[in-house]
Structures are given as C-alpha cells and as structure tokens.
Amino acid sequence: MADEIRHNPAETAALADRIGAHADHLEGTAGAHTRNTRQRLASVRGRDPLANAVVHSAEQVLNVVKQAERQLRRHLRDVQGGLHEMNRRHEENDKALHDMVKRIHTRSEAQDTARKGWTDRAKGPDRSLKPVTVTVQWRPGMPKAQFARKAQQLQELGRRGELYKATNPVSRDKKITEDYKGALIRIISNNHKDNPELAEAARKVARSMHPDHISELQTGGRDHWEGIRMLDGYTNEEIGKRQIWPSIKNLPDGTPIKIRVKWK
C-alpha cells in the first residue's frame, strides 16, 4: 500500500483549486436561485390563507436549503484550505529532509578532507607493529542476526588489513550520525503516511537503534555516512565500548587489529 499512495503537490493544489471553484459556483448560483424563489413567493403572499400557508411552508424549506448551502460552502472552503495546508506541510517536510541529507553529505566530506590533512594522528595500520587479535563475543540480549552482521563485517575488515588502533580521542562529528538517524525516521514517516500504525512501529524501532560505523572509528573507520548502518543499540554499545575499546585502549596508535568472533 505504501508503494501505491504518494503525495503529489501539483495534483493536491489542482484539487484545492477545483474545490474552491465549486464553492464559488455554489455561492454565485445557488444563492441567486434561492433569492429568485423568495421573490416569486413574495408575489403570492397575502392573496388568501391557503397561499400564505404554502408560502410559509416553502420559506421554511428554503431556510433549510440556505443553511445547508452555507454549511456546504464552509465545508468546501475548509477542505480547500486543508489541502493547501497539507501541501505547505509536505513542502516544509521535504525541504527539511533535503537539508538534512545535504548536511549529512557535506559534514561527511569535511571529515574526509580533515582526515587527509592529519599530521598528528594515525592514518592507517603501522606494519612495523605486531597485529593484535580482539575477541568480539555474542551476549544474551543481542539480536543474533545483527551481532553476526556487525562481527562478520569487522572480521572481514581485519582480514583485509584495514583495522588499526586509531588515535584517541577519535575525530568525530556527532551531527552526522544524529542527522542520519533523523533522516531515516523522516523517510519512514513519508513512506507510510497511509499506515500510521506501521509507521509509528517502525519509528519506535528506529529510535531504539544506533547509527553505527561499520568500521569503528576507534579502529580507523571513516566518519562518513557511506560507512553507517543502523544497529541494535545494546549490540553497538557492548561491542564498541565493552569489548573492543578495553582491548585496544593501551595499544600504540596504528597497531594492526584482527577480529575473532565468539558465540559462546
């Protein structure tokens, strides 16, 4: 369903204009018809008791019709205004998402540029140092699929010789991960407007997850959106803070790192 229903600003604006035109037409024609009918009734009022009774009944009906016309015009104007407001809100949301994505990219590129200019930080593994193997272990409470993905990615990076002990504190722009998560939640909302319960369930899960650097910053990873994926929060904290960091914090900068994965 979410792939079938999308907001189209041009179509919404056109619909609002058509509804406004209907309201204008109703106001210009229905009102005139009612006035003409009242004038004809006035011409026969007072002729005799029967005529007066008929006029009285007809005027009551006309009053009901007129009241309904006013309510219908008001409803049409409300719908027209609501459509214009919906367009405005969509435009604001789309612009906010566009600005957020642009900011993520700009900040990521700035981090890459700064990295190239480092003179007092480790830029890669120091091959003169002996590699150190770090154990990454699954713990109860970690979703197994997410642990496996994270651990296997780290293990592969270690096999390729890309992991090393980075200079601490690491160079990081926290707005990159904050905006990455914010943009993800906005996209979920945009994609599932037709199913608010599903959208809220997905947002709740996304809020509980962390934007994770596939290659940890502490093991030489780039602070760039291209290397970020959402990961279970507990798994991220456990692997990064309580398993990898204690094992490497006292190592010389640039020490090559290998990863061993343990399930029990």
Side-chain angles (χ1 to χ4, degrees):
M1 190 70 167
D3 291 334
E4 299 171 359
I5 298 178
R6 289 291 183 271
H7 175 71
N8 186 311
E11 289 182 1
T12 302
L15 177 59
D17 290 342
R18 288 198 299 273
I19 290 174
H22 288 322
D24 292 339
H25 178 75
L26 181 63
E27 192 165 3
T29 58
H33 290 318
T34 303
R35 285 193 297 273
N36 290 338
T37 302
R38 287 187 184 280
Q39 288 173 359
R40 288 196 294 272
L41 289 172
S43 66
V44 299
R45 181 184 288 112
R47 291 183 179 178
D48 55 58
L50 179 60
N52 288 341
V54 170
V55 168
H56 178 70
S57 297
E59 286 183 334
Q60 284 185 314
V61 171
L62 284 175
N63 287 336
V64 171
V65 171
K66 186 175 182 179
Q67 182 182 22
E69 286 174 353
R70 284 198 299 267
Q71 290 175 339
L72 178 56
R73 287 198 301 271
R74 185 163 60 248
H75 176 68
L76 288 171
R77 295 298 185 192
D78 287 345
V79 172
Q80 180 188 27
L83 288 169
H84 283 308
E85 177 66 13
M86 182 171 68
N87 249 0
R88 185 187 68 78
R89 289 181 180 276
H90 274 287
E91 288 172 2
E92 287 181 353
N93 186 65
D94 289 346
K95 183 179 185 304
L97 179 58
H98 174 271
D99 291 346
M100 193 175 287
V101 172
K102 183 178 179 181
R103 192 162 58 241
I104 293 169
H105 179 74
T106 300
R107 286 178 174 271
S108 295
E109 292 299 303
Q111 284 293 89
D112 266 1
T113 300
R115 183 188 182 98
K116 292 174 184 176
W118 288 349
T119 57
D120 58 345
R121 290 177 168 272
K123 290 185 177 182
D126 184 343
R127 303 303 178 187
S128 68
L129 297 173
K130 182 180 179 181
V132 171
T133 298
V134 174
T135 298
V136 172
Q137 183 173 3
W138 177 81
R139 300 288 188 192
M142 292 183 183
K144 290 187 176 181
Q146 295 199 42
F147 168 79
R149 187 191 73 189
K150 174 67 175 179
Q152 289 166 7
Q153 287 170 335
L154 287 172
Q155 194 171 49
E156 178 59 25
L157 290 167
R159 285 197 193 101
R160 298 204 305 252
E162 296 182 22
L163 301 185
Y164 62 92
K165 198 274 185 175
T167 303
N168 191 263
V170 297
S171 175
R172 180 180 188 182
D173 182 348
K174 291 184 177 181
K175 284 295 292 179
I176 294 173
T177 48
E178 289 176 5
D179 283 349
Y180 184 96
K181 185 172 182 175
L184 179 74
I185 291 172
R186 279 185 180 272
I187 289 170
I188 289 171
S189 300
N190 286 354
N191 287 349
H192 299 285
K193 290 188 179 73
D194 60 311
N195 193 336
E197 291 183 0
L198 175 61
E200 181 53 33
R203 284 193 296 266
K204 185 176 180 180
V205 171
R207 291 187 190 106
S208 72
M209 300 177 79
H210 291 180
D212 172 60
H213 292 86
I214 296 171
S215 180
E216 297 272 319
L217 299 183
Q218 60 187 331
T219 56
R222 296 163 63 205
D223 189 20
H224 196 286
W225 68 266
E226 291 177 343
I228 295 174
R229 298 292 184 275
M230 297 302 289
L231 182 67
D232 169 69
Y234 171 64
T235 303
N236 186 42
E237 293 266 337
E238 180 67 25
I239 291 177
K241 290 185 178 179
R242 290 185 282 276
Q243 295 187 16
I244 295 178
W245 177 241
S247 301
I248 70 172
K249 64 180 180 182
N250 295 323
L251 297 176
D253 292 352
T255 300
I257 295 171
K258 304 293 184 181
I259 298 294
R260 182 168 71 99
V261 179
K262 187 176 179 181
W263 283 93
K264 293 182 179 180

